[in-house]
Amino acid sequence: MPVIVIVALMFFSAVLRAQDLYDGRWSVGAASGLALGVNETQYADRQWSPTIKAFGMFDINKMFAAELDVAYTKLSSDRQGGYSDYLSHFYHPNLRLRYYPIRGEFNPYVGVGLGLMLYNVDSVPFNAASEALIDGAVATGVAMAGLNYAMTDNWSVDLNVSAIPTFSDDINPVRDDQTDGYWAVTLGISYAFGSTDADRDRDQLLH
């Protein structure tokens, strides 16, 4: 049996075995932070720029949660008009899967995801590739790590660091041999509906 099939079976087996009090909880939240473009701009000229997002999350079980984000982000160099200097903005809906090794007051996690970036280049560098598209939609990946702090059973603070590669080299429309991407660091707050109380329906029975 191929190794990838065995890994997939182990993964889904772990999901099914994780019976717990988090099953089926929904959360909504918002976050803001900074993003850093990784592209043809000279490293010293790259600039941290603002990003904001709204997100919803569904706890599959104690170990896994599905997350849907919609982010608005600007990426730019620290000035405009120079070699490979640029300014772009985009909307970025993405679907992520979180894995929590432990749950409690402090909840570290890692995760992966896929998304779609709807981008527009507002300031085109003078050395941009003639064939580059200055607006469009491109697929992205997501790899992330973070820490969720449960202030109460319903309210949480969430710190997230994400690496987001794209399948395009036009976010900065200067072309090289690597596709563009960005880092995002956000701090947010979320509200979880329901409760992790073992008797959440108050029927005096533990579920």
Side-chain angles (χ1 to χ4, degrees), residues 51-131:
T51 182
I52 58 174
K53 70 176 182 179
F55 60 91
M57 194 154 50
F58 177 73
D59 282 322
I60 301 169
N61 53 44
K62 188 175 182 178
M63 296 172 61
F64 296 95
E67 177 183 351
L68 176 63
D69 291 0
V70 179
Y72 174 78
T73 304
K74 286 187 175 182
L75 297 177
S76 73
S77 49
D78 61 358
R79 61 185 181 276
Q80 307 302 312
Y83 182 80
S84 297
D85 292 339
Y86 78 110
L87 170 63
S88 296
H89 76 272
F90 54 86
Y91 295 93
H92 185 209
N94 56 98
L95 183 63
R96 307 180 180 203
L97 181 68
R98 292 187 178 195
Y99 167 69
Y100 294 94
I102 59 173
R103 281 282 188 116
E105 184 179 6
F106 293 93
N107 305 281
Y109 62 87
V110 294
V112 294
L114 294 171
L116 184 69
M117 178 188 288
L118 309 172
Y119 75 93
N120 184 273
V121 182
D122 303 296
S123 178
V124 179
F126 71 83
N127 57 321
S130 59
E131 69 275 18

Side-chain angles (χ1 to χ4, degrees), residues 38 75 90 92 117 138-141 164-171 178-182:
V38 179
L75 297 177
F90 54 86
H92 185 209
M117 178 188 288
V138 298
T140 72
I164 303 173
T166 77
F167 293 90
S168 170
D169 199 21
D170 291 341
I171 312 307
Q178 296 182 346
T179 57
D180 296 337
Y182 70 101

Side-chain angles (χ1 to χ4, degrees), residues 35-53:
L36 181 69
V38 179
N39 50 54
E40 296 80 11
T41 301
Q42 302 297 311
Y43 183 81
D45 296 335
R46 296 176 184 176
Q47 175 174 271
W48 288 95
S49 302
T51 182
I52 58 174
K53 70 176 182 179

